[in-house]
Amino acid sequence: YNRMSGTLNNNGYTGSSNLNGIGYGIGIETLLNKNIYLKVEGQQVQYSSSTVSGVTFKPSTTIATIGLGYKF
């Protein structure tokens, strides 16, 4: 579950809306040696559509992360 606020400014028309969305993703974590690991994740989020000042929009986001960690 994801939530965002959006603001529209278009030719003098302004408005804002709160949108809810569902995300899905995949990730992998692997040891590089005894103590160091690498982590890669990706997520896609599709938000609900909204109409503000007569303009309909349906935003989405793609998020990717890469991490390096130390295991004690």
Side-chain angles (χ1 to χ4, degrees):
Y1 177 79
N2 295 275
R3 184 171 173 86
M4 71 171 279
S5 295
T7 302
L8 174 69
N9 295 309
N10 184 22
N11 295 327
Y13 296 101
T14 60
S16 63
S17 182
N18 293 320
L19 303 167
N20 299 314
I22 298 295
Y24 56 90
I26 190 168
I28 188 169
E29 187 174 300
T30 185
L31 285 172
L32 298 177
N33 65 29
K34 182 180 173 185
N35 297 101
I36 298 176
Y37 64 91
L38 177 67
K39 184 177 190 177
V40 179
E41 297 177 340
Q43 182 181 16
Q44 175 71 40
V45 180
Q46 299 289 329
Y47 293 97
S48 57
S49 62
S50 181
T51 301
V52 177
S53 300
V55 176
T56 300
F57 58 98
K58 184 172 178 18
S60 65
T61 58
T62 302
I63 304 161
T65 58
I66 299 173
L68 190 62
Y70 184 80
K71 185 176 177 181
F72 294 94

